[in-house]
Amino acid sequence: MWDHVIKNGTLVTGGGVRKADICIKDGKIAALIEPGMPAEAAEVTDASGKYVFPGFIDPHVHSREGRFGAKHKEDFGYSSRAAACGGYTTIFEMPNCNPATWNADEVRTLSDEIETRAHCDFGIWGICLGEINNGLLKEMSDAGVIGFKFFWGYAIKPEGYQLVYNYDKSMTDLLPPPDTGEVYKIFRAVAETGKVLAIHAENVDIVKAMTEEAQKRPLRPYEELLESRPVVSELTTIAQAVLLSDELGTRLHILHVPSAGSADLIKLARERGTDVTCETCPHYLVFTDEDAERIGTKMKTLPLIRTREDRRVLWERVKDGTIDFIASDHAPHTREDKAGSFRTALPGISGVETMSAVILDSVNKGFISLPEAAALLSENAAKRYGIYPRKGSLEVGTDADIAIVDMDAEFVFREENMHNKIHMSPYDGMTFKGRAVKTLLRGKTVSENGEPVGGPTGRMVRPE
């Protein structure tokens, strides 16, 4: 007898769609059989009229975790529960928790802390701090980090290795941003581990100079933000990263790509042979600067949401495969943090629960196909980070992580119904068609009809 059988659904992977029933045993996909074949099971899910996807993967989540983290804004119990309600079975926790995951002990400590609250499986990013921990990256890799992230251009507080976002050379008691030689050593150290190095690509020197100019001019609030963070601030950082990747053999990943210029530069680098992948976020595919007055500071994030033309090109780069997958950059803040002006409000959007709805709605609108959605939401990230086919596939022998999707389900998203800690979203009031209606983690239902089911059962995922 099987533990669980999903019958009468249409299976969707990056390779296409097919009809099959899924038989699950001991948390694994044990067999794929022809629809209607006898299959006795302890639990049966009838997926008639629905699509069965590999469980979605969000590789970019900030749950405000750690022993000294900002848990009044979020914690992993809340973020993973919200993720499960959106069809996600694996999320990757970013390393700028408090304390940051800067050595193997902190990686193991964070894993132990969040596993007891995890409603989905999780990977953990390690942080790159330059000379402080270049010699520790191998141990962190062995401890199972999914990859390494470098917050290019940011200073660091020695206590807990927290980021300083508006560094000025007059500031004392801080570790200044790594210079170019130190960056070279970071790329080299990560290359030696074989893991991916992901970067936040903004040139903070350009941002600082242009912010000082923009704030002296009579500009509208969001226009001031755009003037203060020109696209070239992204391009100079990406170009330098590409050159270092080529020289040192570093597996490079560009996080949250927001602009046509950045996407096109990455496309060019890939065409000339650079080992570089990239992600964009749903908010860059939905909103533009024209929405700023209507939505307000709920849509403030970094890098910035840009223009209608940027959005158009980003969709083109999704279609041609330049953009490998979609990530939420889930970064909750309190309403007090987001109050005030665009200049002073903290950047960050809560997106882990809404992301799949945005992409599934885009399928219904004809922007992408069902197989492309499966690749963007699951398969491509699993491959890049070394957890495929265990995650991101529907192959026999792999984890029975499954998102069952009703492409005809139309709903209005309301922020008061969110499942993370802070109920605030730029998507409030928007109508979507297509949603995950059931989520299975290793064969067990963890969400149904947009609500959590059962307790935490998530585990840390390590690259093969």
Side-chain angles (χ1 to χ4, degrees), residues 90-174:
T90 306
I91 62 178
F92 297 167
E93 181 67 10
M94 278 291 165
N96 58 326
C97 43
N98 191 359
T101 48
W102 68 281
N103 64 28
D105 285 342
E106 291 296 351
V107 171
R108 287 187 284 264
T109 297
L110 181 63
S111 176
D112 291 343
E113 284 182 0
I114 66 180
E115 188 168 75
T116 60
R117 294 177 273 123
H119 291 262
C120 60
D121 284 355
F122 59 92
I124 294 177
W125 285 93
I127 197 168
C128 288
L129 300 173
E131 296 294 343
I132 295 168
N133 74 337
N134 279 345
L136 304 176
L137 300 191
K138 176 64 166 59
E139 295 175 11
M140 294 168 67
S141 181
D142 292 343
V145 295
I146 206 73
F148 294 95
K149 182 173 180 180
F150 175 40
F151 293 84
W152 203 311
Y154 291 105
I156 302 291
K157 294 179 182 178
E159 305 83 15
Y161 297 114
Q162 298 300 289
L163 302 174
V164 178
Y165 291 91
N166 298 301
Y167 173 69
D168 185 277
K169 291 180 181 178
S170 64
M171 294 178 178
T172 59
D173 300 324
L174 296 178

Coordinates of all heavy atoms in Angstrom, one line a residue, residues 90-174:
T90 N 10.6 24.5 -0.4 CA 12.0 24.8 0.0 C 12.3 26.3 -0.2 O 11.9 26.9 -1.2 CB 13.0 24.1 -0.9 OG1 12.7 22.7 -0.9 CG2 14.5 24.3 -0.4
I91 N 12.9 26.9 0.9 CA 13.3 28.3 0.8 C 14.7 28.4 1.3 O 15.1 27.6 2.1 CB 12.3 29.3 1.5 CG1 12.3 29.0 3.0 CG2 10.9 29.2 0.9 CD1 11.4 30.0 3.8
F92 N 15.5 29.4 0.8 CA 16.8 29.6 1.2 C 16.9 30.9 2.0 O 16.6 31.9 1.6 CB 17.8 29.8 0.0 CG 17.9 28.6 -0.9 CD1 18.5 28.7 -2.2 CD2 17.4 27.3 -0.6 CE1 18.5 27.6 -3.0 CE2 17.5 26.2 -1.4 CZ 18.0 26.4 -2.7
E93 N 17.4 30.7 3.2 CA 17.6 31.8 4.2 C 18.8 32.6 3.9 O 19.9 32.0 3.9 CB 17.5 31.3 5.6 CG 17.6 32.4 6.7 CD 16.4 33.3 6.7 OE1 15.4 33.0 6.0 OE2 16.5 34.3 7.4
M94 N 18.7 33.9 3.7 CA 19.8 34.8 3.4 C 20.7 34.9 4.7 O 20.2 34.8 5.8 CB 19.4 36.1 2.9 CG 19.1 36.1 1.4 SD 20.6 35.9 0.5 CE 20.0 35.4 -1.1
P95 N 22.0 35.3 4.5 CA 23.0 35.2 5.6 C 23.0 36.4 6.5 O 23.8 36.4 7.5 CB 24.3 35.0 4.9 CG 24.2 35.8 3.6 CD 22.7 35.6 3.2
N96 N 22.3 37.5 6.1 CA 22.4 38.7 7.0 C 21.4 38.7 8.1 O 20.7 39.7 8.4 CB 22.3 40.0 6.1 CG 21.0 40.1 5.4 OD1 20.4 39.0 5.0 ND2 20.4 41.2 5.2
C97 N 21.4 37.5 8.8 CA 20.6 37.4 10.0 C 21.5 38.0 11.1 O 22.6 38.5 10.8 CB 20.3 35.9 10.2 SG 21.6 34.8 9.9
N98 N 21.1 37.8 12.3 CA 21.9 38.4 13.4 C 22.1 37.4 14.6 O 21.1 37.0 15.3 CB 21.2 39.6 14.0 CG 22.1 40.4 14.9 OD1 23.3 40.0 15.2 ND2 21.6 41.5 15.4
P99 N 23.3 36.8 14.7 CA 24.5 37.1 14.0 C 24.5 36.5 12.6 O 23.8 35.5 12.3 CB 25.6 36.4 14.8 CG 24.9 35.3 15.5 CD 23.5 35.8 15.8
A100 N 25.3 37.1 11.7 CA 25.4 36.6 10.3 C 26.0 35.2 10.3 O 26.7 34.8 11.2 CB 26.2 37.6 9.5
T101 N 25.7 34.4 9.3 CA 26.2 33.1 9.1 C 27.6 33.2 8.5 O 27.8 33.0 7.3 CB 25.3 32.2 8.2 OG1 24.9 32.9 7.1 CG2 24.1 31.8 9.0
W102 N 28.6 33.5 9.3 CA 29.9 33.9 8.8 C 30.9 32.7 9.1 O 32.1 32.8 8.6 CB 30.5 35.2 9.4 CG 30.7 35.1 10.9 CD1 29.8 35.1 11.9 CD2 32.0 34.9 11.5 NE1 30.4 35.0 13.1 CE2 31.8 34.9 12.9 CE3 33.3 34.8 11.0 CZ2 32.8 34.7 13.8 CZ3 34.3 34.6 12.0 CH2 34.1 34.6 13.3
N103 N 30.5 31.7 9.8 CA 31.4 30.6 10.0 C 30.5 29.3 10.2 O 29.3 29.4 10.2 CB 32.3 30.7 11.2 CG 31.6 30.8 12.5 OD1 30.5 30.3 12.7 ND2 32.2 31.5 13.5
A104 N 31.2 28.1 10.2 CA 30.4 26.9 10.2 C 29.6 26.7 11.5 O 28.5 26.2 11.4 CB 31.4 25.7 10.1
D105 N 30.1 27.2 12.6 CA 29.3 27.1 13.8 C 28.0 27.9 13.7 O 27.0 27.4 14.2 CB 30.1 27.6 15.0 CG 31.2 26.6 15.4 OD1 31.1 25.4 15.1 OD2 32.1 27.0 16.2
E106 N 28.1 29.1 13.2 CA 26.8 29.9 13.0 C 25.9 29.2 12.0 O 24.7 29.4 12.2 CB 27.2 31.3 12.6 CG 27.9 32.1 13.7 CD 27.1 32.4 14.9 OE1 25.8 32.1 14.9 OE2 27.6 32.9 15.9
V107 N 26.4 28.6 11.0 CA 25.5 27.9 10.1 C 24.8 26.8 10.8 O 23.5 26.6 10.7 CB 26.3 27.3 8.9 CG1 25.5 26.4 8.0 CG2 26.9 28.4 8.0
R108 N 25.5 26.0 11.6 CA 24.9 24.9 12.3 C 23.9 25.4 13.4 O 22.8 24.8 13.6 CB 26.0 24.0 12.9 CG 26.7 23.1 11.9 CD 27.7 22.2 12.6 NE 28.9 22.8 13.1 CZ 30.0 22.9 12.4 NH1 30.1 22.3 11.2 NH2 31.1 23.5 12.9
T109 N 24.3 26.5 14.0 CA 23.4 27.0 15.1 C 22.1 27.5 14.5 O 21.0 27.3 15.0 CB 24.1 28.2 15.8 OG1 25.3 27.7 16.5 CG2 23.2 28.8 16.8
L110 N 22.2 28.2 13.3 CA 21.0 28.7 12.7 C 20.1 27.6 12.2 O 18.9 27.6 12.4 CB 21.3 29.6 11.5 CG 20.1 30.2 10.8 CD1 19.3 31.2 11.7 CD2 20.6 31.0 9.5
S111 N 20.7 26.5 11.7 CA 20.0 25.4 11.2 C 19.2 24.8 12.4 O 18.0 24.5 12.3 CB 20.9 24.4 10.6 OG 20.2 23.2 10.2
D112 N 19.9 24.6 13.5 CA 19.2 24.0 14.7 C 18.1 24.9 15.2 O 17.0 24.4 15.6 CB 20.2 23.8 15.8 CG 21.2 22.7 15.5 OD1 21.0 21.9 14.6 OD2 22.3 22.7 16.2
E113 N 18.3 26.2 15.1 CA 17.3 27.1 15.6 C 16.0 27.1 14.8 O 14.9 27.1 15.3 CB 17.8 28.6 15.6 CG 18.8 28.9 16.7 CD 19.3 30.3 16.7 OE1 18.8 31.1 15.8 OE2 20.1 30.7 17.6
I114 N 16.2 27.1 13.5 CA 15.0 27.3 12.6 C 14.3 25.9 12.2 O 13.1 25.9 11.9 CB 15.3 28.1 11.3 CG1 16.3 27.4 10.4 CG2 15.8 29.5 11.7 CD1 16.6 28.2 9.2
E115 N 15.0 24.8 12.4 CA 14.4 23.6 12.0 C 13.2 23.2 12.9 O 12.2 22.7 12.4 CB 15.4 22.4 12.1 CG 14.9 21.1 11.6 CD 16.0 20.1 11.4 OE1 16.5 19.5 12.4 OE2 16.5 19.8 10.3
T116 N 13.2 23.6 14.1 CA 12.0 23.4 15.0 C 10.8 24.2 14.6 O 9.7 23.9 15.1 CB 12.4 23.7 16.4 OG1 12.7 25.0 16.6 CG2 13.6 22.8 16.9
R117 N 11.0 25.2 13.7 CA 9.9 26.0 13.3 C 9.6 26.0 11.8 O 8.8 26.8 11.3 CB 10.2 27.5 13.7 CG 10.2 27.7 15.2 CD 10.6 29.1 15.6 NE 12.0 29.3 15.7 CZ 12.7 30.2 15.0 NH1 12.1 31.0 14.2 NH2 14.0 30.3 15.2
A118 N 10.3 25.1 11.1 CA 10.3 25.2 9.6 C 9.1 24.4 9.1 O 8.9 23.2 9.3 CB 11.5 24.6 9.1
H119 N 8.2 25.1 8.3 CA 7.1 24.5 7.7 C 7.4 24.0 6.3 O 6.6 23.5 5.6 CB 5.9 25.5 7.6 CG 5.3 25.7 9.0 ND1 4.2 25.1 9.5 CD2 5.7 26.6 10.0 CE1 3.9 25.5 10.7 NE2 4.8 26.4 11.0
C120 N 8.6 24.3 5.8 CA 9.1 23.7 4.6 C 10.6 23.5 4.8 O 11.2 23.9 5.8 CB 8.9 24.7 3.4 SG 9.6 26.3 3.5
D121 N 11.2 22.8 3.8 CA 12.7 22.6 3.9 C 13.4 23.9 3.6 O 12.8 24.8 3.0 CB 13.1 21.5 2.9 CG 12.7 20.1 3.4 OD1 12.3 20.0 4.5 OD2 12.9 19.1 2.6
F122 N 14.7 23.9 3.9 CA 15.4 25.2 3.8 C 16.9 25.0 3.5 O 17.5 23.9 3.9 CB 15.3 26.0 5.1 CG 15.8 25.3 6.3 CD1 17.1 25.5 6.8 CD2 15.0 24.5 7.1 CE1 17.6 24.8 7.9 CE2 15.4 23.8 8.2 CZ 16.8 24.0 8.6
G123 N 17.4 25.9 2.8 CA 18.9 26.0 2.6 C 19.3 27.3 3.3 O 18.6 28.2 3.6
I124 N 20.6 27.3 3.6 CA 21.2 28.5 4.3 C 22.4 29.0 3.5 O 23.3 28.3 3.1 CB 21.7 28.0 5.8 CG1 20.5 27.7 6.6 CG2 22.5 29.2 6.4 CD1 20.9 27.2 8.0
W125 N 22.3 30.3 3.3 CA 23.4 31.0 2.6 C 24.5 31.3 3.7 O 24.2 31.7 4.8 CB 22.9 32.3 2.0 CG 22.1 32.2 0.8 CD1 20.7 32.1 0.7 CD2 22.6 32.2 -0.6 NE1 20.4 32.0 -0.6 CE2 21.5 32.1 -1.4 CE3 23.9 32.2 -1.1 CZ2 21.6 32.0 -2.8 CZ3 24.0 32.2 -2.5 CH2 22.9 32.1 -3.3
G126 N 25.8 31.3 3.2 CA 26.9 31.8 4.0 C 27.2 33.2 3.5 O 27.1 33.6 2.3
I127 N 27.7 34.1 4.4 CA 28.1 35.4 4.0 C 29.6 35.5 3.8 O 30.4 34.8 4.4 CB 27.7 36.4 5.1 CG1 27.6 37.9 4.6 CG2 28.5 36.3 6.4 CD1 27.0 38.8 5.5
C128 N 30.0 36.4 2.9 CA 31.4 36.7 2.6 C 31.8 38.0 3.2 O 31.2 39.0 2.9 CB 31.7 36.7 1.1 SG 31.6 35.1 0.3
L129 N 32.8 38.0 4.0 CA 33.2 39.2 4.7 C 34.7 39.6 4.4 O 35.2 40.5 5.0 CB 33.1 39.0 6.2 CG 31.7 38.7 6.8 CD1 31.8 38.4 8.3 CD2 30.8 39.9 6.6
G130 N 35.3 39.0 3.4 CA 36.6 39.3 3.0 C 37.6 38.6 3.9 O 37.5 37.4 4.3
E131 N 38.7 39.3 4.3 CA 39.7 38.7 5.1 C 39.3 38.1 6.4 O 39.9 37.1 6.9 CB 40.8 39.7 5.4 CG 41.5 40.3 4.2 CD 42.4 39.3 3.4 OE1 42.7 38.2 4.0 OE2 42.7 39.5 2.3
I132 N 38.1 38.5 6.9 CA 37.6 38.0 8.2 C 37.3 36.5 8.0 O 37.6 35.7 9.0 CB 36.4 38.8 8.6 CG1 36.7 40.2 8.9 CG2 35.7 38.1 9.8 CD1 35.5 41.1 9.0
N133 N 36.7 36.1 6.9 CA 36.3 34.7 6.8 C 36.7 34.0 5.5 O 36.1 32.9 5.3 CB 34.8 34.5 7.2 CG 33.9 35.0 6.0 OD1 34.3 35.8 5.2 ND2 32.7 34.5 6.1
N134 N 37.5 34.6 4.7 CA 37.9 33.8 3.5 C 38.5 32.4 3.8 O 38.2 31.5 3.1 CB 39.0 34.6 2.7 CG 38.4 35.7 1.9 OD1 37.2 35.8 1.6 ND2 39.3 36.7 1.4
G135 N 39.2 32.3 4.9 CA 39.8 31.1 5.3 C 38.8 30.1 5.9 O 39.2 28.9 6.2
L136 N 37.6 30.6 6.1 CA 36.6 29.7 6.7 C 35.5 29.2 5.8 O 34.6 28.4 6.2 CB 35.8 30.5 7.8 CG 36.7 31.1 8.9 CD1 35.9 31.9 9.9 CD2 37.5 30.0 9.7
L137 N 35.6 29.6 4.5 CA 34.6 29.3 3.5 C 34.5 27.8 3.3 O 33.4 27.2 3.1 CB 34.8 30.0 2.2 CG 34.7 31.6 2.3 CD1 34.7 32.1 0.9 CD2 33.6 32.1 3.2
K138 N 35.6 27.1 3.3 CA 35.6 25.6 3.0 C 34.9 24.9 4.1 O 34.1 24.0 3.9 CB 37.1 25.1 2.9 CG 37.2 23.6 2.8 CD 36.6 23.1 1.5 CE 37.0 21.7 1.2 NZ 36.6 20.7 2.2
E139 N 35.1 25.3 5.4 CA 34.4 24.7 6.5 C 32.9 25.0 6.4 O 32.1 24.1 6.7 CB 34.9 25.2 7.8 CG 36.4 24.9 8.1 CD 36.9 25.5 9.4 OE1 36.0 26.1 10.1 OE2 38.1 25.5 9.7
M140 N 32.5 26.2 6.0 CA 31.1 26.5 5.8 C 30.5 25.7 4.7 O 29.4 25.2 4.8 CB 31.0 28.0 5.5 CG 31.4 28.9 6.7 SD 31.5 30.6 6.3 CE 29.8 31.1 5.9
S141 N 31.3 25.5 3.6 CA 30.8 24.7 2.5 C 30.5 23.3 3.0 O 29.5 22.7 2.7 CB 31.8 24.7 1.4 OG 31.4 23.9 0.3
D142 N 31.5 22.8 3.8 CA 31.3 21.4 4.3 C 30.1 21.3 5.3 O 29.5 20.2 5.4 CB 32.6 21.0 5.0 CG 33.8 20.8 4.1 OD1 33.5 20.6 2.9 OD2 34.9 20.7 4.6
A143 N 29.8 22.4 5.9 CA 28.7 22.4 6.8 C 27.3 22.5 6.1 O 26.3 22.4 6.7 CB 28.8 23.6 7.8
G144 N 27.4 22.7 4.8 CA 26.2 22.5 4.0 C 25.6 23.8 3.5 O 24.4 23.8 3.0
V145 N 26.3 24.9 3.5 CA 25.7 26.1 2.9 C 25.3 25.9 1.5 O 25.9 25.2 0.7 CB 26.6 27.4 3.1 CG1 26.8 27.7 4.5 CG2 27.9 27.2 2.3
I146 N 24.2 26.6 1.1 CA 23.7 26.4 -0.3 C 24.6 27.2 -1.3 O 24.7 26.9 -2.5 CB 22.2 26.9 -0.4 CG1 21.5 26.2 -1.5 CG2 22.1 28.4 -0.5 CD1 21.2 24.7 -1.3
G147 N 25.2 28.2 -0.8 CA 26.1 29.1 -1.6 C 26.6 30.2 -0.7 O 26.3 30.3 0.5
F148 N 27.2 31.2 -1.3 CA 27.8 32.3 -0.6 C 27.2 33.6 -1.2 O 27.2 33.8 -2.4 CB 29.3 32.3 -0.6 CG 29.9 31.2 0.1 CD1 30.3 30.0 -0.5 CD2 30.1 31.2 1.5 CE1 30.8 29.0 0.1 CE2 30.7 30.2 2.2 CZ 31.0 29.0 1.5
K149 N 27.0 34.6 -0.3 CA 26.5 35.9 -0.7 C 27.5 37.0 -0.3 O 27.9 37.0 0.8 CB 25.1 36.2 -0.2 CG 24.6 37.6 -0.7 CD 23.1 37.8 -0.3 CE 22.6 39.2 -0.8 NZ 21.2 39.4 -0.4
F150 N 27.7 37.9 -1.2 CA 28.6 39.0 -1.0 C 27.8 40.3 -1.2 O 27.3 40.6 -2.3 CB 29.8 39.0 -1.9 CG 30.7 40.2 -1.8 CD1 31.0 40.8 -0.6 CD2 31.3 40.8 -2.9 CE1 31.9 41.9 -0.5 CE2 32.1 41.9 -2.9 CZ 32.4 42.4 -1.6
F151 N 27.6 41.1 -0.1 CA 26.9 42.4 -0.2 C 28.0 43.4 -0.6 O 28.6 44.1 0.3 CB 26.3 42.7 1.2 CG 25.2 41.8 1.6 CD1 25.4 40.6 2.2 CD2 23.9 42.1 1.4 CE1 24.4 39.7 2.6 CE2 22.8 41.3 1.7 CZ 23.1 40.1 2.3
W152 N 28.1 43.6 -1.8 CA 29.2 44.4 -2.4 C 29.1 45.8 -2.0 O 28.1 46.5 -2.2 CB 29.1 44.3 -3.9 CG 30.4 44.6 -4.7 CD1 31.2 45.6 -4.5 CD2 31.0 43.8 -5.7 NE1 32.3 45.6 -5.4 CE2 32.1 44.4 -6.2 CE3 30.6 42.6 -6.4 CZ2 32.9 43.9 -7.2 CZ3 31.4 42.1 -7.4 CH2 32.5 42.8 -7.8
G153 N 30.2 46.4 -1.4 CA 30.2 47.8 -1.1 C 29.7 48.2 0.3 O 29.7 49.3 0.6
Y154 N 29.2 47.2 1.1 CA 28.7 47.5 2.4 C 29.7 47.4 3.5 O 30.6 46.5 3.5 CB 27.5 46.6 2.7 CG 26.3 46.8 1.9 CD1 25.9 46.0 0.8 CD2 25.5 47.9 2.1 CE1 24.8 46.2 0.1 CE2 24.4 48.2 1.3 CZ 24.0 47.3 0.3 OH 22.9 47.6 -0.5
A155 N 29.7 48.3 4.4 CA 30.5 48.2 5.6 C 29.9 47.2 6.6 O 28.7 46.8 6.4 CB 30.7 49.6 6.3
I156 N 30.6 46.8 7.6 CA 30.2 45.8 8.5 C 30.4 46.3 10.0 O 31.4 46.8 10.3 CB 31.0 44.5 8.3 CG1 30.8 44.0 6.9 CG2 30.5 43.4 9.3 CD1 29.5 43.5 6.5
K157 N 29.4 46.0 10.8 CA 29.5 46.2 12.2 C 30.2 45.0 12.8 O 29.8 43.9 12.5 CB 28.2 46.4 12.9 CG 27.4 47.6 12.5 CD 26.0 47.7 13.2 CE 25.2 48.9 12.8 NZ 23.9 48.9 13.4
P158 N 31.2 45.2 13.6 CA 31.9 44.0 14.2 C 31.1 43.1 15.1 O 31.3 41.9 15.1 CB 33.1 44.7 15.0 CG 33.3 46.0 14.4 CD 31.9 46.5 14.0
E159 N 30.0 43.7 15.7 CA 29.2 42.9 16.6 C 28.1 42.2 15.7 O 27.2 42.8 15.1 CB 28.4 43.8 17.6 CG 29.3 44.7 18.4 CD 29.7 46.0 17.7 OE1 29.1 46.3 16.7 OE2 30.7 46.6 18.2
G160 N 28.3 40.9 15.6 CA 27.4 40.1 14.8 C 27.5 40.2 13.3 O 26.8 39.6 12.6
Y161 N 28.5 41.0 12.9 CA 28.8 41.2 11.4 C 27.5 41.6 10.7 O 27.2 41.0 9.7 CB 29.4 39.9 10.8 CG 30.8 39.6 11.5 CD1 31.0 38.5 12.2 CD2 31.8 40.5 11.3 CE1 32.2 38.3 12.8 CE2 33.1 40.3 11.9 CZ 33.2 39.2 12.7 OH 34.5 38.9 13.3
Q162 N 26.9 42.7 11.2 CA 25.7 43.2 10.5 C 26.1 44.3 9.5 O 27.1 45.0 9.6 CB 24.8 43.9 11.6 CG 24.3 42.9 12.6 CD 23.5 41.8 12.0 OE1 22.4 41.9 11.5 NE2 24.1 40.6 11.9
L163 N 25.3 44.4 8.5 CA 25.5 45.3 7.4 C 25.2 46.7 7.7 O 24.3 47.0 8.5 CB 24.7 44.9 6.1 CG 24.9 43.5 5.6 CD1 23.9 43.2 4.5 CD2 26.3 43.3 5.1
V164 N 26.0 47.7 7.2 CA 25.8 49.1 7.3 C 25.5 49.6 5.9 O 26.3 49.6 5.0 CB 27.0 49.8 7.9 CG1 26.7 51.3 7.9 CG2 27.3 49.3 9.2
Y165 N 24.2 50.1 5.7 CA 23.7 50.4 4.3 C 24.1 51.7 3.8 O 24.1 52.0 2.6 CB 22.2 50.2 4.3 CG 21.8 48.8 4.4 CD1 21.5 48.2 5.7 CD2 21.7 47.9 3.3 CE1 21.1 46.9 5.8 CE2 21.3 46.6 3.5 CZ 21.0 46.1 4.7 OH 20.6 44.8 4.8
N166 N 24.4 52.7 4.7 CA 24.7 54.0 4.2 C 26.1 54.4 4.8 O 26.2 55.4 5.6 CB 23.6 55.0 4.7 CG 22.3 54.7 4.1 OD1 22.2 54.7 2.9 ND2 21.3 54.4 4.9
Y167 N 27.1 53.7 4.4 CA 28.4 53.9 4.9 C 29.0 55.2 4.5 O 28.9 55.7 3.3 CB 29.3 52.8 4.5 CG 30.8 53.0 4.8 CD1 31.2 52.9 6.1 CD2 31.7 53.2 3.8 CE1 32.6 53.1 6.4 CE2 33.1 53.4 4.1 CZ 33.5 53.4 5.4 OH 34.8 53.6 5.8
D168 N 29.7 55.9 5.4 CA 30.4 57.1 5.2 C 31.8 57.0 5.8 O 31.9 56.4 6.8 CB 29.7 58.3 5.8 CG 30.4 59.6 5.4 OD1 31.3 60.0 6.1 OD2 29.9 60.3 4.4
K169 N 32.8 57.5 5.1 CA 34.2 57.3 5.5 C 34.4 57.9 6.9 O 35.4 57.6 7.6 CB 35.2 57.8 4.5 CG 35.2 57.0 3.2 CD 36.1 57.6 2.2 CE 36.1 56.7 0.9 NZ 37.0 57.3 -0.1
S170 N 33.6 58.8 7.3 CA 33.7 59.4 8.6 C 33.3 58.5 9.8 O 33.6 58.8 10.9 CB 32.9 60.8 8.7 OG 31.5 60.5 8.6
M171 N 32.5 57.5 9.4 CA 32.1 56.5 10.4 C 33.2 55.7 11.1 O 34.1 55.3 10.4 CB 31.0 55.6 9.8 CG 29.8 56.2 9.4 SD 28.6 55.0 8.6 CE 27.2 56.0 8.2
T172 N 33.1 55.6 12.4 CA 34.2 54.9 13.1 C 33.6 53.6 13.6 O 32.4 53.3 13.6 CB 34.8 55.7 14.2 OG1 33.7 56.0 15.1 CG2 35.4 57.0 13.7
D173 N 34.5 52.7 14.1 CA 34.2 51.4 14.7 C 33.4 50.5 13.7 O 32.6 49.7 14.1 CB 33.3 51.7 16.0 CG 34.0 52.5 17.0 OD1 35.3 52.3 17.2 OD2 33.4 53.3 17.7
L174 N 33.7 50.7 12.5 CA 33.1 49.8 11.4 C 34.2 49.2 10.6 O 35.3 49.7 10.5 CB 32.2 50.6 10.5 CG 30.9 51.2 11.1 CD1 30.2 52.0 10.0 CD2 30.0 50.2 11.7

